[in-house]
Amino acid sequence: MTASERPSAAPVITFVVPAYNMANYLDRCLRSLLSSQATDIEVIVVDDGSQDATAALANGWAHKQPGIVHVISQSNKGHGGAVNAGLKEARGLYIKVVDADDWVDADSLARLLPILRQQAQTPSPVDMFVSNYVYEKEGRSHKHVVNFRSVMTPGRLLTWNQLKPFGIAQYMIMHALIFRTDVLREAATHLPEHTFYVDFIYSYQPLPYVRTLTYLDLDLYRYYTGRSGQSVETAVMISRVDQLQLVNALMVQATPEKGSVPEGLYRYMIHYLSINCTVTSVFLILSKQAENYRAKEQLWRNMEANRPHIARDVERTLLCKLINMPGQPGRLAVRLGYKLAEAAVGFN
């Protein structure tokens, strides 16, 4: 079914589900998205050149839920290319990306949909909703919930200047965000293809186009971690550290100059960029390769040369002061700090 063949009434939300060889997980994801039995939602599964039964499963759901589930099949373009395809076809007032091995909580979804329906009736819908997400670690009974109660008052219409300071390692990842679809289109959000970790860009580049936001204290998104070979696994991230460097460069490029956006937004974007610079630097250090030590230094020199004011503000943050401790003692401290953080949070 093409976009022109689908019903004319716009859904309140489009869920974009990028799926590459996700036959073992896709049913769980789609069952959760369709648990409310709502008819005013849209689910776009982007089969990104899968070699398993992903396409057949997705098309089976489209057959069972015509007008709600839509399948796009394309040659492999990576996570970013799959998100791009879903965004292009999305008809919902809002859009949320749900990876095929993750899912949403049925009760939270049932509470979310009436809120979105109310927004559909207002002349100025909220630009972005923020909700909680839960680390569903394979083999662990304890679930780590990430919330934003310390930063935002739940249920209120907010502007960036009304947000409280974020914690040192606290930021809004893709799984926490629901964008108004037109915001992403106004921002011309387009993710690089065949690139890992583009969720950093997705949750960063559109922010200057977000004028209003609301925090919903719902444990909506269930983030499945711990399966072998997952992109957030430490060894995998070390092997793909060049991808982190590319994403970091694109985030630096997307950062607005101070004074061009609300102060609260600029402060948050510098905070988020400092976290990404730290993450990229950490994995360059964890590689224990001399060329990556040099690449870490080059990352900071490039930012200082190309975006000097941005670099100055990022380098003033505590995280970046710590990551740039000099020499072998600094690298040893970073490795120890990473092990302690990994053990404390337990999502790898």
Side-chain angles (χ1 to χ4, degrees):
M1 183 183 294
T2 65
S4 62
E5 293 173 325
R6 282 177 274 162
S8 57
V12 293
I13 188 169
T14 296
F15 294 104
V16 173
V17 182
Y20 175 69
N21 289 345
M22 284 287 129
N24 290 337
Y25 306 99
L26 184 61
D27 277 346
R28 178 179 65 185
C29 177
L30 295 183
R31 279 197 305 270
S32 75
L33 296 176
L34 298 166
S35 60
S36 68
Q37 300 184 335
T39 58
D40 55 352
I41 68 171
E42 176 180 56
V43 178
I44 299 179
V45 181
V46 183
D47 168 39
D48 192 43
S50 297
Q51 302 300 309
D52 64 359
T54 295
L57 288 170
N59 284 312
W61 279 98
H63 179 74
K64 290 185 291 186
Q65 299 283 345
I68 295 177
V69 178
H70 171 50
V71 180
I72 298 173
S73 291
Q74 63 181 25
S75 59
N76 181 262
K77 297 181 180 180
H79 190 262
V83 173
N84 293 339
L87 175 58
K88 182 179 178 181
E89 291 290 324
R91 297 174 55 251
L93 174 64
Y94 290 96
I95 188 166
K96 184 167 184 64
V97 177
V98 180
D99 289 337
D101 55 347
D102 298 334
W103 66 96
V104 300
D105 177 71
D107 291 340
S108 296
L109 178 61
R111 293 170 61 189
L112 169 69
L113 291 176
I115 295 169
L116 301 186
R117 291 174 187 131
Q118 289 176 351
Q119 291 299 312
Q121 303 302 315
T122 65
S124 300
V126 176
D127 287 337
M128 186 176 81
F129 285 100
V130 182
S131 61
N132 308 331
Y133 58 97
V134 182
Y135 282 102
E136 293 280 354
K137 169 71 186 245
E138 180 73 23
R140 282 181 181 257
S141 57
H142 173 72
K143 309 301 182 185
H144 177 62
V145 181
V146 177
N147 68 71
F148 299 92
R149 296 171 200 138
S150 64
V151 179
M152 304 173 230
T153 303
R156 287 184 54 188
L157 181 67
L158 301 169
T159 62
W160 288 106
N161 289 341
Q162 293 174 296
L163 270 57
K164 300 172 187 175
F166 282 72
I168 187 171
Q170 183 184 30
Y171 61 103
M172 298 179 288
I173 69 172
M174 180 180 74
H175 304 328
L177 301 180
I178 301 171
F179 284 107
R180 189 164 59 84
T181 305
D182 284 349
V183 166
L184 296 184
R185 290 176 175 156
E186 182 185 358
T189 300
H190 188 84
L191 303 180
E193 298 178 358
H194 301 295
T195 304
F196 290 92
Y197 313 117
V198 294
D199 49 313
F200 278 112
I201 301 171
Y202 181 86
S203 55
Y204 188 80
Q205 180 268 341
L207 297 182
Y209 298 85
V210 172
R211 294 163 184 84
T212 57
L213 61 158
T214 294
Y215 169 50
L216 304 175
D217 194 2
L218 301 174
D219 297 346
L220 177 65
Y221 197 98
R222 302 305 170 117
Y223 180 20
Y224 180 58
T225 66
R227 64 180 176 84
S228 178
Q230 199 165 16
S231 63
V232 294
E233 203 173 54
T234 297
V236 175
M237 292 189 76
I238 292 173
S239 71
R240 294 172 179 164
V241 72
D242 60 319
Q243 306 280 291
L244 285 169
Q245 292 172 269
L246 172 60
V247 167
N248 179 262
L250 292 171
M251 289 177 67
V252 171
Q253 181 181 333
T255 306
E257 290 290 339
K258 188 172 185 176
S260 65
V261 295
E263 178 62 27
L265 172 58
Y266 180 78
R267 184 169 56 246
Y268 172 70
M269 293 188 77
I270 290 297
H271 169 75
Y272 193 169
L273 182 58
S274 75
I275 290 173
N276 183 266
C277 288
T278 300
V279 168
T280 305
S281 297
V282 163
F283 285 100
L284 287 166
I285 290 170
L286 290 177
S287 73
K288 298 183 179 180
Q289 296 178 12
E291 66 265 29
N292 283 340
Y293 298 160
R294 292 190 291 271
K296 171 185 172 290
E297 301 305 318
Q298 190 63 49
L299 179 152
W300 293 95
R301 286 198 294 269
N302 288 345
M303 184 162 53
E304 289 163 356
N306 298 323
R307 304 296 304 276
H309 297 101
I310 301 298
R312 178 199 62 200
D313 289 339
V314 169
E315 288 169 353
R316 286 175 175 172
T317 64
L318 177 59
L319 276 177
C320 292
K321 288 178 181 177
L322 294 173
I323 199 65
N324 285 318
M325 291 185 295
Q328 180 69 4
R331 292 193 290 271
L332 288 172
V334 167
R335 293 188 190 109
L336 176 60
Y338 180 81
K339 287 182 179 179
L340 292 174
E342 186 179 34
V345 178
F347 50 74
N348 272 326

